[in-house]
Amino acid sequence: MTQEETDKKYMRRCIQLAGNGRQSAKPNPMVGAVLVAGGRIIGEGYHVRCGEGHAEVNCFASVSTEDEVLLSRSTLYVSLEPCSHFGRTPPCADLIIRKGVPRVVVGCVDPFAKVQGRGIRKLQEAGAEVVVGVLEDECRELNRRFITFNTALRPYILLKWAQTADGFLDDHFRPMQISTAFTRMLTHKLRAENDAILVGRVTAERDRPRLDVREWSGRDPRRLVLSSATSIDKILDECYQEGLQSLIVEGGGKTLESFMERDLWDEIRVETGTIAAGAGTRAPRLPGNLRVVRVENYDGNEIITYERKS
Ligand SMILES: [Zn+2]
């Protein structure tokens, strides 16, 4: 195995570990770290919970006493650039230097203004070899919400709707069940993974959706209603000020379109059912600048996930 292949292998493990923090690391990013010496993993860790140890801290803490001597010959793999500032915990870059790790492989740079390359520079100045950008896309993908929030200064926006086989949101303007028991559960899982959920005023008053996660475990997202008094700008600003990193927009059609018209979206998920309605509210038209990232089929229903064309 070449060095590059080896680096990818251990970075893949970092990403896997990082994902364990999906529900609890927020508002911090998900991060995984692995220590390798002599072709063997001697330590692993991930960021479990905001306010507690970072991935690197947990990784070092997992190294056994007899393996401590190997640190001076080890490589530390970490999916996100180590921090360099004093937050609720001391900087991880300092810890890595103190532990004498000579080589550090970083998945992607931290876009957070207080870090942004400083952690990497600190390590290099201390004499460590630093490799940046191994499985960079995957590492960025992992923290899309965190990265969008910290670079676009607004929540990550996910537009989502279900439509009939012939492209209507309802049946002759009357609500109809398009999702299946299974896809409904997926919707609740998605809600648990995001910070806020928004519907338009008409949908809120007519359908009285509960917008909670009763068919999955986790926190209910903050419920927001869009009206003329709470414009999109106000809502996004409120989310940013309150640290809500992601927003699901679940309808209705006009609300979804108003986000697309202003090009305010990062991901779109469309579920298409098996039954045709014949007439009703037309499903929103997809914008032109997108690409399909995933197609899933459950009980005949198809869920297509789109992202922005880069
Ligand atoms: Zn840190």
Side-chain angles (χ1 to χ4, degrees):
M1 210 182 267
T2 64
Q3 185 67 62
E4 200 186 323
E5 285 164 347
T6 305
D7 287 349
K8 281 186 181 169
K9 178 176 111 178
Y10 291 118
M11 190 57 75
R12 211 160 278 130
R13 177 63 184 151
C14 289
I15 293 170
Q16 200 175 35
L17 288 163
N20 292 337
R22 190 170 295 279
Q23 299 277 30
S24 53
K26 280 189 293 191
N28 283 353
M30 290 175 254
V31 187
V34 173
L35 269 163
V36 177
R40 181 168 64 86
I41 291 180
I42 60 167
E44 284 190 339
Y46 67 94
H47 183 46
V48 181
R49 200 166 284 107
C50 182
E52 296 178 11
H54 287 179
E56 300 92 322
V57 174
N58 295 339
C59 183
F60 281 114
S62 77
V63 177
S64 68
T65 319
E66 54 267 34
D67 281 343
E68 287 274 343
V69 297
L70 299 172
L71 289 176
S72 60
R73 282 175 277 151
S74 68
T75 295
L76 175 74
Y77 293 88
V78 59
S79 57
L80 185 73
E81 172 181 9
C83 64
S84 58
H85 63 284
F86 278 89
R88 281 190 240 186
T89 52
C92 291
D94 292 358
L95 174 69
I96 298 165
I97 295 164
R98 206 167 59 242
K99 293 282 185 181
V101 175
R103 183 167 183 269
V104 181
V105 178
V106 174
C108 66
V109 171
D110 190 337
F112 193 60
K114 282 185 194 157
V115 185
Q116 234 169 31
R118 290 191 184 91
I120 291 165
R121 229 166 20 246
K122 204 168 196 179
L123 293 167
Q124 286 168 333
E125 279 163 13
E129 178 197 346
V130 185
V131 179
V132 183
V134 172
L135 298 184
E136 188 170 15
D137 290 347
E138 290 89 331
C139 290
R140 287 183 67 89
E141 174 70 30
L142 190 67
N143 288 305
R144 298 184 60 169
R145 288 162 176 73
F146 174 82
I147 290 171
T148 301
F149 184 82
N150 284 296
T151 53
L153 311 184
R154 62 157 174 80
Y156 179 89
I157 301 169
L158 195 160
L159 309 182
K160 178 181 178 304
W161 68 86
Q163 61 188 24
T164 61
D166 51 352
F168 293 100
L169 295 175
D170 48 31
D171 183 2
H172 293 78
F173 308 100
R174 283 187 304 271
M176 79 176 278
Q177 188 67 258
I178 295 168
S179 57
T180 69
F182 187 78
T183 60
R184 208 155 44 244
M185 189 188 74
L186 292 180
T187 294
H188 289 204
K189 174 175 183 283
L190 191 70
R191 288 175 183 170
E193 290 168 356
N194 288 278
D195 297 337
I197 187 164
L198 174 138
V199 290
R201 186 182 54 80
V202 175
T203 303
E205 286 172 4
R206 192 189 56 192
D207 303 346
R208 301 197 173 278
R210 282 167 65 184
L211 307 175
D212 56 13
V213 296
R214 60 195 179 277
E215 292 179 33
W216 196 259
S217 68
R219 259 188 310 219
D220 287 344
R222 173 87 60 90
R223 193 178 189 281
L224 302 166
V225 176
L226 183 69
S227 68
S228 48
T230 57
S231 72
I232 291 181
D233 292 313
K234 269 191 196 160
I235 292 243
L236 295 183
D237 192 50
E238 185 190 325
C239 288
Y240 184 72
Q241 297 304 332
E242 296 192 26
L244 301 170
Q245 293 184 358
S246 56
L247 173 70
I248 305 176
V249 180
E250 277 204 24
K254 281 219 164 57
T255 301
L256 288 158
E257 271 164 5
S258 61
F259 274 84
M260 284 187 268
E261 273 159 20
R262 296 197 41 200
D263 206 28
L264 284 168
W265 62 275
D266 300 288
E267 184 177 330
I268 300 177
R269 286 194 198 195
V270 182
E271 175 174 355
T272 305
T274 52
I275 299 166
T281 310
R282 273 259 162 230
R285 259 202 12 210
L286 288 166
N289 54 335
L290 43 68
R291 63 190 177 96
V292 174
V293 289
R294 210 162 40 247
V295 179
E296 297 156 280
N297 274 283
Y298 304 106
D299 307 327
N301 278 18
E302 182 179 66
I303 301 178
I304 304 185
T305 304
Y306 303 91
E307 282 174 12
R308 196 174 283 278
K309 210 180 262 173
S310 46

